[in-house]
Each structure stands twice: as structure tokens, then as C-alpha cells.
Amino acid sequence: MTEKRAGFVALIGEPNAGKSTLLNQMVGAKVSIVTHKVQTTRARIRGVAIEGDTQLVFVDTPGIFRPRRRLDRAMVTAAWSGAADADIVVLLVEAHRGVTEGVEAILDGLAERTRGRKVALAINKIDRVESPVLLALTQKMNDLFDFTETFLISAEKGHGVQDLRRWLAGELPTGEWLYPEDQIADASLRSIAAELTREKLTLRLHQELPYQLTVETEAWEERRDGSVKVDQIIYVMRDGHKGILLGHKGETIKGVSKAARAELSELLGQKVHLFLQIKVRPKWLEDKERYSEMGLNFNDGNE
Ligand SMILES: Nc1nc2c(ncn2[C@@H]2O[C@H](COP(=O)(O)OP(=O)(O)OP(=O)(O)O)[C@@H](O)[C@H]2O)c(=O)[nH]1
Ligand SMILES: [Mg+2]
């Protein structure tokens, strides 16, 4: 009989590196939201995958960048503590961007935060470059840091993902599984639902707006007819933002609501009634409660 293994694998990297895409690909379900914009993920998000006798708990983290606001600082702290708590760390870099300043800054912090633990390099988005670029980047990155292993992947297309998962499974410590066999995520439905709405908002809104709002699920009511009624609040910072969110004749918010409802309904296998309410709260970025709702620690944002 083979021995069971289990452990935590942290996915870290710059914003937009493809960490959440990889998490979803590993789990085989959408556990973490994905957009083409930077700083989409705000807190640590766990997704569970099984490979043979190993249970891999992937920890998606916010991108690591130079933080300016309290929220940014709390996000970056959450990312680094994800790395510090994991059995293995996977650093994702974008093949077409190579060794950016941001990647260099992460490498600077990595040695001290992962002392004694294995760090794998995953060069992602290989679908965007030619192979000579990959060889050169692999070389350069391994000159800069002592990676245990390098993988060339496309998180989106799934290339190389299976190899990475197999390798990680073999590296995790022996031990009992950490979650029931059929569990794939470690977040409440309320928070997943709020994230889905934030994803649709981020996809439809421009410039700074996605970074100046947060979504919370206020109420969740299972109805006798098998449907569920979900009430959410979108906190924005200014009156003007409310107008933009509503859009002409309320079209923007209607589009968001429709898209979020469809996805939530598919996820739950249930009919969903989704009600979105917008609240203007100029200082929500300084509200402690908003941080705990996001899964962040308010004091991690202290300067
Ligand atoms: N071409 C290509 N695009 C990818 C690949 N993986 C991810 N992307 C895209 O890259 C963008 C960012 O992906 P995310 O998974 O949200 O990136 P992230 O690292 O979680 O970003 P943050 O949460 O902002 O830190 C999305 O538009 C993805 O579709 C890939 O392998 N190839
Ligand atoms: Mg992400």
C-alpha cells in the first residue's frame, strides 16, 4: 500500500502572472476569479487537487507589487505569508515579460521567506513566445535563484500543468489528507459569490474603479422552491462612481448582475435571484470590517 501525502503549495508572482488561472486549472473548477487586469486577487484562496495518493492544497495569493494603499499593503503581506506557510512555493513569471523589476524584487524577498523549503519556477504563458526565449529565460532565472525545478507551462491552455502537479505531489510530505476527498475549495459560498460579482465588475469597469470598490454578500436565503436569493452590497468611494456603476439606464449594473447570476447559478446548480445594492462609503478602504470580509488582516496594511 502506498502512503498518503498532503501539503500546501503556494502560488506567488507579480500581478497578472496567471496564478489564479493555474489554481483553477489544478483544481479543475473556477475557485478563484480571473481577469486580464492586475491585482484581481485580494486574499489567499485555497483550492484542493488530488494526484494519486496525494492531496495538494494550492494557495492562490494576491500578486506581489510595490504597495501604496492600506489595501495594497494588506494584500502583499497576505501573499508573502502564503509563501511562508507553504510546504512548497511555485513562483510564476510571464514568459513574454521575462525578468522584470517586479520579478527581481520578489526574488530578493524569496530566499529569506522560504528558507529551507523548495521553490519551483513556473514560466507561464509559453503560448505567447518562441522556444529560444524560454531557454534564455530559464537560464537567466536559474542564475538569479536556486530553484529546485523549472516548469514551462501555459496555465490557460493547460500545457505542462499535469507535469507540474505530478512533481509537486511527489514532493509533499507524507501525512493524512487535510480536507475531505470531495472538497475542492475552502471558501464560503457567500465569499465566492461576492468574488464572482467583483470579477464581472472588474471586467466591465475601467481605470481605477475596480480598485476602489469591494463586494460583500449580505444575505443568503434558500427558498422552498429550490432557488436561492442572494443580496450583495457593492461599496464604492464616490457618488460619481455609483453613477458609472449604474450606467446609462442602469445597463452596466444589469449586465454585471446578469453575468454574475448566470455563473453563480451554474456553480450551485440552482436558480439564483441576485440583488445588487450600491453604497457610497468614501472611507471603506479604512474600514476594518471590510478587510475581514475580504479575508485580509486590517493591521497588515499598517505602514
Ligand atoms: N496567453 C496566456 N494568457 C494567460 C495564461 N495564463 C493566464 N493568462 C491570462 O493572464 C491574465 C491574468 O490571469 P490571472 O490568473 O488573473 O493572474 P493572477 O496572477 O491571478 O493575477 P492577480 O490576481 O492580479 O495577481 C488573464 O487574462 C488570463 O487569462 C497563459 O498561459 N497564456
Ligand atoms: Mg489572481
Side-chain angles (χ1 to χ4, degrees):
M1 211 184 88
T2 47
E3 255 184 315
K4 280 195 167 173
R5 292 171 183 274
F8 292 94
V9 179
L11 307 176
I12 69 161
E14 282 192 278
N16 230 20
K19 302 175 292 297
S20 303
T21 307
L22 181 60
L23 177 91
N24 294 340
Q25 193 61 257
M26 287 291 187
V27 173
K30 183 155 151 191
V31 170
S32 194
I33 62 169
V34 169
T35 79
H36 58 287
K37 294 186 184 165
V38 296
Q39 295 164 38
T40 298
T41 306
R42 286 184 175 165
R44 276 162 291 180
I45 291 172
R46 287 179 182 176
V48 188
I50 290 165
E51 177 67 41
D53 295 308
T54 308
Q55 187 175 60
L56 303 102
V57 182
F58 286 94
V59 184
D60 184 15
T61 64
I64 297 172
F65 58 103
R66 198 183 297 158
R68 292 173 296 125
R69 311 177 296 172
R70 175 183 285 277
L71 174 59
D72 303 339
R73 288 191 294 273
M75 284 162 54
V76 173
T77 302
W80 278 123
S81 40
D85 295 343
D87 296 291
I88 308 177
V89 173
V90 178
L91 171 66
L92 273 84
V93 299
E94 289 170 281
H96 60 291
R97 293 184 68 226
V99 185
T100 58
E101 262 178 43
V103 167
E104 281 176 345
I106 294 174
L107 291 176
D108 280 344
L110 206 52
E112 130 190 20
R113 274 142 162 145
T114 56
R115 209 161 285 155
R117 265 158 318 128
K118 291 181 175 156
V119 183
L121 172 67
I123 299 181
N124 188 28
K125 311 197 183 182
I126 58 167
D127 53 292
R128 297 192 57 166
V129 298
E130 304 288 335
S131 17
V133 176
L134 293 173
L135 283 174
L137 183 55
T138 302
Q139 185 73 53
K140 198 167 168 194
M141 287 294 292
N142 279 278
D143 288 344
L144 292 171
F145 190 89
D146 189 17
F147 292 106
T148 313
E149 202 72 53
T150 299
F151 295 85
L152 305 177
I153 67 166
S154 170
E156 195 169 70
K157 305 210 176 333
H159 301 314
V161 171
Q162 183 57 24
D163 278 351
L164 174 57
R165 182 167 46 213
R166 276 204 204 106
W167 180 80
L168 289 167
E171 295 295 323
L172 286 175
T174 54
E176 286 306 309
W177 285 8
L178 301 158
Y179 289 94
E181 209 168 324
D182 54 0
Q183 190 165 341
I184 58 161
D186 186 9
S188 65
L189 286 173
R190 294 166 84 104
S191 89
I192 292 175
E195 284 287 272
L196 286 177
T197 300
R198 193 166 61 81
E199 180 188 80
K200 306 310 172 202
L201 286 163
T202 303
L203 291 171
R204 278 173 178 75
L205 300 170
H206 303 292
Q207 289 153 354
E208 289 303 303
L209 228 82
Y211 307 107
Q212 301 186 347
L213 59 80
T214 187
V215 183
E216 292 176 14
T217 300
E218 269 293 295
W220 187 284
E221 188 195 325
E222 301 283 343
R223 290 185 164 172
R224 221 171 282 155
D225 64 3
S227 67
V228 59
K229 176 174 172 282
V230 180
D231 287 285
Q232 295 181 333
I233 297 180
I234 305 168
Y235 289 100
V236 298
M237 288 167 61
R238 287 203 276 276
D239 252 341
H241 292 171
K242 190 172 177 176
I244 300 171
L245 245 72
L246 289 170
H248 181 63
K249 291 187 181 160
E251 267 161 19
T252 305
I253 196 78
K254 267 187 225 154
V256 165
S257 176
K258 195 171 165 215
R261 173 165 45 85
E263 206 169 311
L264 187 58
S265 170
E266 198 189 309
L267 179 82
L268 300 173
Q270 240 174 325
K271 186 169 178 185
V272 173
H273 309 275
L274 178 63
F275 295 93
L276 303 179
Q277 188 194 347
I278 308 171
K279 276 195 185 166
V280 181
R281 185 164 304 199
K283 294 213 161 39
W284 75 259
L285 279 163
E286 296 300 322
D287 277 356
K288 202 166 183 174
E289 205 190 327
R290 306 283 81 74
Y291 286 73
S292 49
E293 285 286 333
M294 280 185 272
L296 289 172
N297 185 336
F298 182 73
N299 290 326
D300 281 348
N302 292 344
E303 265 184 295

